[in-house]
Amino acid sequence: MEKKETNTLSIFQRPVWVSLFALTAAISWGWAYPLIKMGMEEYQITADMTGSKMLFAGIRFFISGIIILAIARSSHREFGFKKKAVQENVWFLLLYALLNTTLHYAFFYFGLSHNAGARSAILNSMSVFTVVILACIFFKSDRMTWRKALGCIIGFLGILALNLGGKESGSFTFLGDGMIILNALCGASASLLTRGLSKRVDVFVGTGYSLSIGGALLVIPALLMGGYLPVISLWGITILLLLIAISTISFALYNKLLSCNPVGKVAIYNSLIPVVGAITSCLCLGETFYWKYLIAGALATAGIYIINKGKK
């Protein structure tokens, strides 16, 4: 009987594939840190150009969402709502788009433009531990255990370690660290809403709606604020296309995994994002890798390991 039950599992529920897909999404998102900073530099978007930063982010997510919706249409996926309460579904979808895309990445792009890529990547691991805690509060399938509690405490200590050392190695700033923290909280909240999204609409279609609507809600105010891309080059377009590919692949995989697995089991793989983000930022951007990054990264990784240890 057990073998038959295992065979009936979706590919997105089988442990090996869950790990492979979640790791693919996490590693891809890690590369976004240096690519975004490289993109802003290539397009010559400076730290004070708020509208241009929103436009750069909005174009990425709007196009990514349109691509996902086009794929969904070509594969004959259901676009209608599963529940009859249309108005309720529309408001839920709008809230999800705001948290998952608009506010999430507005904070992310603002924070990253005022912060080192490596520091931002490690700081953003806060979303992983926040998801674990919130999932235990809101979902019966995710129960708090002493391992999860200890892992989260150690992980948060890693985040605090980023403020060790002198000012030259970086310290807390609202426009830098503060924005990244707000981004992490939006991302964690959106992860919890993903399960609700899958109950209302096909999760692949819902992801497309979220990215396209959320992207449009970034582009429209950006244009009203006078946002523009000062310099357009072949390399800049290439970077933007890579970021669009990251969003399309990662969000599609991650949201599908969240829709059919315990939130904590999937979100925990995001522990790789700060590691990949920090390493690639230092390699691609020439940033100094401070010793406290190593301590912070080690504590965050240890927290992840403790949370997952003993899971079948």
Side-chain angles (χ1 to χ4, degrees), residues 146-177:
W146 70 268
R147 288 188 186 281
K148 288 182 180 180
L150 179 61
C152 287
I153 291 172
I154 292 176
F156 281 119
L157 287 176
I159 294 170
L160 293 176
L162 286 174
N163 290 306
L164 295 173
K167 291 183 179 180
E168 69 281 355
S169 62
S171 57
F172 182 88
T173 62
F174 178 72
L175 288 178
D177 292 358

Side-chain angles (χ1 to χ4, degrees), residues 75-292:
S75 58
H76 306 291
R77 288 181 177 270
E78 179 60 50
F79 273 67
F81 291 117
K82 297 178 182 179
K83 293 186 176 182
K84 294 181 180 180
V86 177
Q87 187 174 358
E88 179 186 327
N89 291 329
V90 170
W91 281 111
F92 183 91
L93 188 61
L94 181 60
L95 173 63
Y96 184 76
L98 283 169
L99 284 175
N100 192 56
T101 306
T102 308
L103 294 176
H104 185 184
Y105 284 99
F107 290 139
F108 184 71
Y109 275 64
F110 294 156
L112 196 55
S113 66
H114 289 277
N115 221 349
R119 181 183 176 87
S120 297
I122 297 172
L123 184 64
N124 202 32
S125 64
M126 177 180 176
S127 64
V128 179
F129 304 106
T130 304
V131 166
V132 171
I133 294 171
L134 293 178
C136 291
I137 294 174
F138 292 105
F139 299 124
K140 293 181 180 179
S141 60
D142 291 83
R143 296 181 180 179
M144 179 58 73
T145 64
W146 70 268
R147 288 188 186 281
K148 288 182 180 180
L150 179 61
C152 287
I153 291 172
I154 292 176
F156 281 119
L157 287 176
I159 294 170
L160 293 176
L162 286 174
N163 290 306
L164 295 173
K167 291 183 179 180
E168 69 281 355
S169 62
S171 57
F172 182 88
T173 62
F174 178 72
L175 288 178
D177 292 358
M179 292 292 106
I180 296 297
I181 289 173
L182 289 174
N183 148 73
L185 293 176
C186 284
S189 300
S191 292
L192 298 184
L193 291 176
T194 301
R195 191 172 295 179
L197 178 72
S198 66
K199 293 179 180 179
R200 289 172 166 78
V201 66
D202 179 279
V203 71
F204 197 74
V205 173
T207 300
Y209 281 148
S210 167
L211 293 175
S212 57
I213 293 172
L217 292 176
L218 281 167
V219 170
I220 294 171
L223 293 175
L224 293 175
M225 294 169 65
Y228 69 107
L229 302 179
V231 176
I232 298 177
S233 65
L234 180 60
W235 178 231
I237 293 173
T238 301
I239 291 173
L240 182 57
L241 290 175
L242 287 172
L243 287 170
I244 289 171
I246 287 173
S247 297
T248 304
I249 296 170
S250 299
F251 271 111
L253 286 175
Y254 186 69
N255 285 355
K256 180 61 179 178
L257 291 173
L258 284 180
S259 70
C260 50
N261 293 282
V263 175
K265 181 180 179 182
V266 177
I268 214 65
Y269 284 93
N270 286 356
S271 61
L272 268 183
I273 296 176
V275 178
V276 175
I279 293 174
T280 54
S281 291
C282 291
L283 291 176
C284 298
L285 305 174
E287 295 179 355
T288 302
F289 192 87
Y290 294 103
W291 60 269
K292 65 181 179 181

Side-chain angles (χ1 to χ4, degrees), residues 10-39:
S10 160
I11 189 174
F12 292 100
Q13 292 176 302
R14 296 175 186 175
V16 173
W17 288 101
V18 168
S19 298
L20 180 61
F21 291 146
L23 287 172
T24 299
I27 292 172
S28 297
W29 271 323
W31 272 96
Y33 288 87
L35 286 173
I36 289 171
K37 290 189 75 73
M38 289 164 64

